[in-house]
Amino acid sequence: MTKILVVADIKQNALKKGTLELISKARTLSENVAVVAIGNHIEGLIPELAQAGTDTQYLANDNKLEMFSASSYANCVIQAVKQYQAEQVWFAFSESSKATAPRVAARFKSACATEITDISIENGKVIVNRPAIAGKVYQKIQFNTSPAVVIVRAGAFDIDGEYSGTENIHNLEIPETDLRAVIQKIIQDAGEEIDLADADIVVSVGRGVKDQTGVDLVKALAKDLKAGFGSSRAMVDAGVMPHNSQVGQTGKIVSPTLYFAIGISGAIQHVAGMNGAKVIVAVNKDSEAPIFNVADYGIVGDLFEVVPILRDEIKKVRN
Amino acid sequence: MKILTTVKKVVDVELNIQVKEGKIVQDGLQYVMNAWDENAVEATVQLKENNGAETTLVCMGDSESTLMIRKAYAMGIENGIHVDDPLLESADSNGYAKVLKKIYENGDYDLIITGKQAQDTDNGHTGIMLAEYLDIPCVSNVVAIEVVDESQLAVSRIGDSGTEIINVNLPALLTVSDSINEPRLPALRGIMMAKKKAIETKTLADLELTLEQIDMQPVRTEILEYQAPSVRQAGKKFEGDAAEITAKVVQLLSNEAKVI
Ligand SMILES: Cc1cc2nc3c(=O)[nH]c(=O)nc-3n(C[C@H](O)[C@H](O)[C@H](O)COP(=O)(O)OP(=O)(O)OC[C@H]3O[C@@H](n4cnc5c(N)ncnc54)[C@H](O)[C@@H]3O)c2cc1C
């Protein structure tokens, strides 16, 4: 039975939801599911990883791994792949995964597929589905080499919680820092309380909100809904919203239950990041804006007028 | 500093794309320079202008790819290499990375700049794999490049928790984000000059590469088929009194969609 290694997605020493989704899905394909956890002060995550359905946990836990380094992280994953003899390596979608996964694939003379939405085994070969060309087509891809390295799109798989595993920890060697590319510092983005990828509701702002005042207005709606707070590229480029809030082809792909696009025109590059949402609501004063072609519910109007009403009405139905 | 910049010809994503019997319908498609590669070209030309650099561009693809090279010339790139070989048609990221490896080794470059991904595949593998095969440091998703000295750059990349500032030794490979710059529109004079400039064209045989050497026998991944995505239908659109239509939509979200 195929051996699957899941790379844990850890942020601020906490496990991201995507990791549990991956483990859950992996267990439906195989009984042999291991996980590799990389970071500093993360030993406390092992019980949760076992509980999620893994029977082997590879751990690289050291202050040298406090900050992300693609070469060090790849090195740890490579060790785990070798020890477990993994035939599949699954990453959850993140910037770190995008930087690490191709290195792992190259090292094993194998290949990588990004943003996959499905994975299966047919005639002994790993087959994946993934969007391409800004989501305008899907590709069905077959791996001819092993291990098949994949990055899974956020929300592609559900957590069913049917399986649980046991603790069986293997410590990995801590790689030396690659002195050819040394991280000097990280300018932290303003910490958002709710991670976009994990959020059940996402509220995003576009150029229509104009400035910080508009952002604050819409942020209040996001707060009411306990929603993730996203952005089009226009507002990131304007320096008003942080980089990690960008939804779209270059940013994050989100698939929440409910997505609000406030003052966003609906450019293909933005839509590629949110058209997996179950329900889309758009607020835009231009009735011809392309966002209305993908919205389930469209409100044609001035967002500065609509958003406060939206908040009030939502409070009403929630009570 | 000697810089090698890579560019890919990609289908224009703004156009309608049809899938028929597992294949993309080619009729009516138009091709453009990959948007992130335009950022790579701009970053290269800025390095040339600000710090002095010898600039070379490489583009793999059919004869139309020369248009991408001419565009890069018009933006300020000095030399162009076109790898044109029908054998590359079914290449994946590995195949491309292996060809680029050879180009790099033939040229004694200090820096490779690529776009962070290509608009047609949205993979973002080729550059990172190339660095791995060359065993040189690589920083992806770069939004700023500063020259420290002859042997070192200070670059910023967007990571998961913020902007990472990284000192990277040359030779190195950077993949750039679209946030790094605003690609210039070539001036008419540049466009005219670009038409006359020579392009070096190479086949795999010229590069002394076999299909085995570029991992295409067998190819590591193959696209079995393309599928059309399930298209979202436009839903209900409300115009009129803001208070009225907003209340209506909230009712629908609650009673019909049952999401709040
Ligand atoms: C290679 C590449 C990658 C890209 N990647 C991304 C990406 O990942 N994510 C992304 O978002 N974009 C991306 N883009 C950019 C994308 O093409 C668009 O430029 C961008 O999404 C536009 O942002 P916007 O909708 O906020 O702004 P605009 O297109 O300017 O739209 C603003 C909208 O607000 C409306 N509006 C204005 N005032 C009001 C008001 N008072 N009330 C209500 N509505 C109002 C307007 O009618 C308009 O529809 C990418 C582009 C390229 C070339």
Side-chain angles (χ1 to χ4, degrees):
Chain A
M1 192 170 273
T2 185
K3 288 182 145 190
I4 304 174
L5 176 73
V6 172
V7 181
D9 187 9
I10 298 165
K11 203 172 172 191
Q12 272 135 14
N13 293 355
L15 216 48
K16 300 281 298 292
K17 196 171 101 193
T19 310
L20 306 178
E21 292 169 357
L22 265 53
I23 293 172
S24 204
K25 172 71 177 181
R27 281 301 300 258
T28 65
L29 296 185
S30 175
E31 278 169 19
N32 302 319
V33 180
V35 67
V36 53
I38 306 161
N40 192 21
H41 302 305
I42 53 160
E43 61 280 6
L45 300 177
I46 297 292
E48 199 180 340
L49 289 167
Q51 180 60 34
T54 64
D55 286 316
T56 309
Q57 300 84 26
Y58 296 95
L59 180 64
N61 188 30
D62 193 274
N63 61 15
K64 281 195 195 128
L65 299 168
E66 173 95 38
M67 285 195 276
F68 171 74
S69 142
S71 76
S72 298
Y73 276 51
N75 178 305
C76 295
V77 177
I78 288 161
Q79 288 181 57
V81 172
K82 283 186 184 155
Q83 289 186 28
Y84 194 60
Q85 299 189 313
E87 290 146 274
Q88 299 182 36
V89 186
W90 295 14
F91 287 82
F93 181 83
S94 69
E95 281 305 333
S96 309
S97 296
K98 281 178 92 171
T100 311
R103 293 176 190 244
V104 174
R107 197 72 68 86
F108 287 103
K109 297 190 162 51
S110 189
C112 184
T114 299
E115 290 274 353
I116 68 155
T117 52
D118 203 6
I119 184 163
S120 60
I121 299 174
E122 290 172 29
N123 304 323
K125 301 234 165 146
V126 175
I127 310 272
V128 297
N129 282 72
R130 64 179 298 272
I133 321 187
K136 289 205 165 170
V137 299
Y138 271 72
Q139 300 174 325
K140 186 174 174 187
I141 295 178
Q142 171 176 302
F143 279 83
N144 293 327
T145 48
S146 177
V149 180
V150 299
I151 302 177
V152 179
R153 172 179 266 207
F157 306 136
D158 295 326
I159 301 172
D160 61 16
E162 200 175 303
Y163 306 96
S164 66
T166 50
E167 282 186 40
N168 180 13
I169 305 170
H170 299 258
N171 285 301
L172 298 173
E173 266 174 48
I174 305 306
E176 287 307 318
T177 309
D178 182 357
L179 295 174
R180 303 173 306 176
V182 181
I183 186 158
Q184 306 296 312
K185 63 173 173 190
I186 300 183
I187 305 163
Q188 299 276 349
D189 280 327
E192 2 142 13
E193 295 101 78
I194 299 150
D195 200 283
L196 280 181
D198 291 353
D200 200 39
I201 303 179
V202 171
V203 176
S204 289
V205 290
R207 205 194 308 271
V209 305
K210 287 200 187 79
D211 52 21
Q212 191 61 45
T213 315
V215 166
D216 291 343
L217 180 87
V218 182
K219 197 172 188 172
L221 171 67
K223 261 219 160 96
D224 291 350
L225 291 166
K226 297 196 169 50
F229 194 44
S231 174
S232 73
R233 194 182 79 178
M235 291 315 277
V236 173
D237 285 352
V240 184
M241 290 290 289
H243 278 286
N244 66 5
S245 69
Q246 182 171 320
V247 171
Q249 200 184 7
T250 335
K252 294 205 164 99
I253 312 278
V254 297
S255 359
T257 309
L258 179 57
Y259 187 90
F260 286 88
I262 313 281
I264 292 176
S265 62
I268 157 113
Q269 295 91 351
H270 185 81
V271 170
M274 47 69 95
N275 65 1
K278 189 162 162 266
V279 175
I280 296 173
V281 178
V283 179
N284 198 304
K285 68 177 180 189
D286 172 9
S287 70
E288 299 298 315
I291 192 73
F292 289 122
N293 298 334
V294 295
D296 299 281
Y297 300 104
I299 300 174
V300 181
D302 183 347
L303 69 92
F304 291 94
E305 196 182 343
V306 169
V307 170
I309 304 172
L310 205 47
R311 290 183 63 199
D312 285 346
E313 292 295 331
I314 288 172
K315 272 182 204 145
K316 272 191 220 160
V317 301
R318 284 204 151 177
N319 282 331
Chain B
M1 187 161 33
K2 236 182 128 179
I3 309 176
L4 179 66
T5 311
T6 70
V7 157
K8 189 179 185 187
K9 181 192 105 170
V10 297
V11 61
D12 185 347
V13 298
E14 302 291 343
L15 298 175
N16 231 343
I17 291 165
Q18 310 278 327
V19 176
K20 209 169 153 188
E21 286 159 11
K23 294 200 164 61
I24 292 176
V25 179
Q26 298 295 317
D27 284 354
L29 292 187
Q30 276 172 23
Y31 292 88
V32 293
M33 185 189 286
N34 173 37
W36 286 285
D37 293 342
E38 283 190 43
N39 297 110
V41 169
E42 178 63 35
T44 306
V45 174
Q46 285 184 14
L47 281 170
K48 183 185 90 173
E49 289 169 348
N50 300 335
N51 303 84
E54 193 186 320
T55 56
T56 303
L57 184 99
V58 54
C59 184
M60 295 176 278
D62 62 14
S63 59
E64 225 185 294
S65 303
T66 53
L67 297 176
M68 312 300 135
I69 299 178
R70 300 227 178 267
K71 179 170 180 180
Y73 280 165
M75 289 172 75
I77 297 283
E78 297 158 299
N79 311 303
I81 303 170
H82 176 209
V83 181
D84 186 2
D85 199 315
L87 292 172
L88 281 172
E89 222 159 81
S90 56
D92 64 1
S93 318
N94 278 296
Y96 286 128
K98 286 287 168 73
V99 177
L100 293 172
K101 176 171 186 270
K102 188 74 178 203
I103 300 283
Y104 173 87
E105 287 166 348
N106 286 347
D108 193 26
Y109 299 97
D110 304 296
L111 179 63
I112 306 176
I113 305 182
T114 77
K116 70 178 241 179
Q117 66 199 53
Q119 284 170 293
D120 54 355
T121 65
D122 285 329
N123 269 323
H125 300 157
T126 305
I128 298 172
M129 286 179 159
L130 171 60
E132 195 64 36
Y133 295 139
L134 291 171
D135 194 19
I136 60 173
C138 167
V139 184
S140 57
N141 206 20
V142 168
V143 293
I145 307 172
E146 236 177 86
V147 178
V148 176
D149 58 41
E150 225 126 88
S151 63
Q152 202 177 50
L153 304 176
V155 301
S156 310
R157 83 179 278 272
I158 302 301
D160 286 315
S161 49
T163 307
E164 302 167 4
I165 316 289
I166 299 173
N167 278 7
V168 55
N169 290 355
L170 299 175
L173 184 146
L174 308 178
T175 82
V176 298
S177 156
D178 42 299
S179 312
I180 192 172
N181 55 40
E182 193 63 52
R184 69 192 66 193
L185 293 173
L188 192 61
R189 204 177 100 87
I191 297 171
M192 299 311 289
M193 303 247 293
K195 284 195 179 137
K196 295 189 207 110
K197 272 184 84 106
I199 294 173
E200 204 182 325
T201 301
K202 303 238 181 242
T203 60
L204 290 182
D206 294 335
L207 292 166
E208 293 175 354
L209 285 170
T210 62
L211 284 181
E212 283 87 357
Q213 281 168 321
I214 62 167
D215 303 312
M216 287 187 59
Q217 216 149 23
V219 63
R220 291 183 187 178
T221 51
E222 54 193 293
I223 299 172
L224 299 181
E225 61 171 14
Y226 285 93
Q227 292 150 351
S230 50
V231 270
R232 283 192 92 96
Q233 300 298 331
K236 300 174 178 162
K237 188 165 74 176
F238 299 91
E239 296 184 57
D241 178 63
E244 217 168 274
I245 62 175
T246 306
K248 177 87 192 148
V249 166
V250 173
Q251 284 301 327
L252 288 168
L253 287 175
S254 173
N255 301 332
E256 185 179 77
K258 297 192 174 25
V259 287
I260 54 170

